[in-house]
Amino acid sequence: MDRYAVFGHPIKHSKSPLIHARFAEQTGQQLSYEAILAPLDGFTESVDQFRSAGGQGANVTLPFKQQAAALCDSLSERARLAGAVNTLHWQGDKLCGDNTDGEGLVRDLLKHKVALAGKRVLVLGAGGAVRGVIPELMAAQVGELVIANRTAAKARELAALFHHLGQVQGGGFDEVQGAFDLIINGTSASLSAALPPLKPEMLADGGCCYDMAYGDKPTVFQLWAADAGADVNLAGLGMLVEQAAVSFEIWRGVSPSTDEVYDLLMAQLGEAK
Ligand code: NDP
């Protein structure tokens, strides 16, 4: 049976084995998918062992996404731009890396009828996740993208890195000006129930909000978005399932149905409350 896995540290919490098992069942693909706890100083060795044992492809999560990019023999353009890889596969002896996080986010936004082309978009945060999604947001022809981060210098660095893709600016939260059609929270603040310093006037009339984090109840950012009058107010579970579907397509050449898996995970989150 073809073997796939996700590498991370920690990894116990990962929903990827469940997601890919469902995708395989739906599409009639014979494969196994396991979670592998790679030692913090042993990512490369873990990947090598997995390949020697017949591994065909893998996902990579925190904290190894940048290390994975460095390990690959070839990178997709979006993985090269992001400097981070979440999907590996082998072509013969060659290790190929891609980054499906951005496509996952864009698919989820478009699925919920959130328009991107020509829109003014504010992205909060300048960590690994934001780095991964900017190339795809720009490819979706966002009109203007502003990156705001607690550490302003990091937002400026990212803006400079992606400036060639279009109108991208970066700075601190206090430098944000005007109203946005879409505000994406790519900080990890929601995980500790914290909220970046936002003002309701930053959200345009009919504007939408997306928190890349998710939980068993609305995040603090989603609560803020509801108060600010967001037209569409989403959290990152959809992105998680969509990015997994893109990985599955890369490995198996077939498209699974994401709705069924999303509903299953939502039901599990509800039970965990
Ligand atoms: P990183 O650790 O790389 O970056 C964290 C970012 O959050 C930094 O920009 C940091 O700012 C900012 N931050 C942290 N705490 C606060 C706070 N209290 N107030 C304001 N800003 C804060 O994390 P990732 O980029 O990997 O992940 C970011 C989020 O995206 C997480 O919630 C993660 O769960 C989610 N995610 C979701 C995915 C999905 O599929 N749904 C996929 C990947 C990530 P500073 O630079 O100043 O430290």
Side-chain angles (χ1 to χ4, degrees), residues 191-233:
L191 303 178
S192 50
L195 186 66
L198 296 163
K199 299 189 189 104
E201 55 270 26
M202 288 177 180
L203 187 65
D205 278 351
C208 304
C209 288
Y210 196 104
D211 197 341
M212 284 167 57
Y214 60 87
D216 57 7
K217 39 188 194 297
T219 66
V220 278
F221 175 76
Q222 285 187 288
L223 296 176
W224 176 86
D227 277 350
D231 216 32
V232 178
N233 187 355

Side-chain angles (χ1 to χ4, degrees), residues 62 65 101 124-131 149-152 154 173 185-192 194-197 210-214 235-241 243:
L62 281 177
K65 288 185 184 182
D101 280 339
L124 309 169
V130 167
R131 189 179 267 268
N149 194 44
R150 184 174 60 183
T151 312
K154 282 210 237 164
F173 293 123
N185 184 17
T187 72
S188 50
S190 291
L191 303 178
S192 50
L195 186 66
Y210 196 104
D211 197 341
M212 284 167 57
Y214 60 87
L237 188 65
M239 171 180 170
L240 178 79
V241 178
Q243 63 77 29

Side-chain angles (χ1 to χ4, degrees), residues 91-107:
Q91 280 179 347
D93 284 343
K94 214 170 101 180
L95 181 59
C96 309
D98 201 346
N99 190 318
T100 66
D101 280 339
E103 187 174 348
L105 171 67
V106 168
R107 281 191 187 190

